[in-house]
Amino acid sequence: MEFNRYSFERTEQTVFKQQSPPGDFWLRLDNAAKIYPAVKNRELTSVFRISVELKERVKAKPFLEAIMAIENRFPYFKVKLKPGFFWYYLEFENLTTQVKAEGDVPCRAFNKNELMYRVLAKDNRISVEFSHILTDGTGAFEFLKSLLLTYFEKCCIPLPEELAFHRGSEPAAQEEYEDAFNRYFEKSKSPYIKVPKAFQVNFPLKPRPRFSVLIAIIPLDQIAAKAKAYQVSITEYLVAVYLYALQAIYNGLTPLAKRRSYKMVRIEVPINLRKMYLTKTMRNFTLYVMPEMDLRLGHYTFEEIIKTVYHQMQLETDKKLINKMISRNVSGEKNPFIRGVPLFLKSIILSRLLSLGTSAYSGVITNLGKVNLTPEMNKLIDRFVFIPPPPNKILKVNCGVVGFDNKLVMSFGNITTSKELEQHFFSFLTQQGIPVKIENY
């Protein structure tokens, strides 16, 4: 499909004024987005991808009609990043949605003349890529879901009336572009506890372009049964496997390398706060929990790791502790001193904070959960794939997970020459009796 041959004619009167708030449309960055403009570059793009792979090849005409039908339904995504004196902000730009044939490297950076999201297609795959400045995985998935279901409509496939999605004919609700962090901010006097630095894999970096993705397809029923046997969730089980793999890498180091390495092994796990707080926001609304183990205490069996992960995640997802994290994060941007610092100085500070923050964890695993539409719609889909943003040179590897039907798809993004982490991870699963099919994305 040559999507570059198609163009979209637009006028200044296209729907936007009916679906956007009155007056000049602009948005402050939400609390989670504020750090990304300071650190993004051609490699550290802060761009992630969600794909749906259909059982039939994508048809160009209805696909493009679907994009035209929904793009103005999401005015808060049709924005550009603008620098102010104190903060960056988002300003509406009446540009058309980028529609491109899929290239070789996922999660590429956006340039300053583009919107910060794009739609891609290749054979039977439809993908959307978003900058984290705009939204998180949940918001991007809702956009993809709307595009997918509208595409089915344009292919004359009837949709059940009860199927909930953002229809192109409906106006955007104001709550969709609220900063939910500010809405649920409550000032707290809890002291900040410094987190010690964590163990990092020391794999050599690849030459540019560094980012590559390895896909693993795992039977969802089998991994769910294994997690149930340990009385944990699938996410908790996968986090435990990740920690177990990192421990194996640490154990394989030379004595000198072990002495030089940090001994805390810690995984960052994003939590979708929409499950805890009432909001329809399509912007970022995610915080992180970080289960850990201290290698100074000796070798951990998998049973010990999974027990530790379960209890730590249960504790850290307590709503009072989440409230404390929201308070700590939002209080920083509300601090009169920080608010008065010029943007160029803020960018230097935020870039340094990201490096310090990344040094506190050894890996990231993001689980979007299981996608389920209707039995009729599900029959048209093969699988979903979630690719998180390229990791930085400290972290080096990260992981995204999404389930559909009986397939759990894991995506390891890697900027190094080594696949040792992935090998340990999937070898453990196969030893547990869980089959794993590996693909290059």
Side-chain angles (χ1 to χ4, degrees), residues 57-116:
R57 188 181 180 92
V58 177
K59 300 172 184 176
K61 186 174 183 294
F63 175 68
L64 293 168
E65 288 175 350
I67 294 167
M68 288 190 285
I70 72 159
E71 66 171 340
N72 290 307
R73 172 60 182 77
F74 302 90
Y76 35 81
F77 291 155
K78 297 188 73 173
V79 292
K80 279 188 177 181
L81 183 69
K82 301 284 187 177
F85 187 77
F86 295 108
W87 294 104
Y88 285 97
Y89 64 96
L90 301 172
E91 185 174 79
F92 170 67
E93 289 282 349
N94 195 23
L95 298 175
T96 59
T97 300
Q98 299 178 67
V99 186
K100 297 184 178 181
E102 187 179 304
D104 296 332
V105 181
C107 307
R108 292 180 299 104
F110 296 98
N111 66 49
K112 63 181 181 180
N113 296 317
E114 296 178 305
L115 296 175
M116 290 182 288

Side-chain angles (χ1 to χ4, degrees), residues 244-257:
Y244 192 81
L246 288 167
Q247 178 180 242
I249 292 170
Y250 174 83
N251 289 341
L253 296 177
T254 65
L256 178 60

Side-chain angles (χ1 to χ4, degrees), residues 351-385:
S351 179
R352 177 61 178 159
L353 286 175
L354 180 70
S355 295
L356 291 172
T358 307
S359 68
Y361 50 91
S362 315
V364 177
I365 187 163
T366 307
N367 188 356
L368 287 186
K370 185 179 180 181
V371 178
N372 186 34
L373 302 176
T374 67
E376 297 80 12
M377 299 296 104
N378 290 347
K379 290 176 183 177
L380 305 173
I381 300 167
D382 181 44
R383 68 189 186 193
F384 287 83
V385 180

Side-chain angles (χ1 to χ4, degrees), residues 4 68 81 103 115 125 175 204-205 218 220 240 302 355 374:
N4 292 337
M68 288 190 285
L81 183 69
L115 296 175
R125 183 159 67 205
E175 191 177 356
L205 298 176
I218 301 165
L220 188 55
F302 183 71
S355 295
T374 67

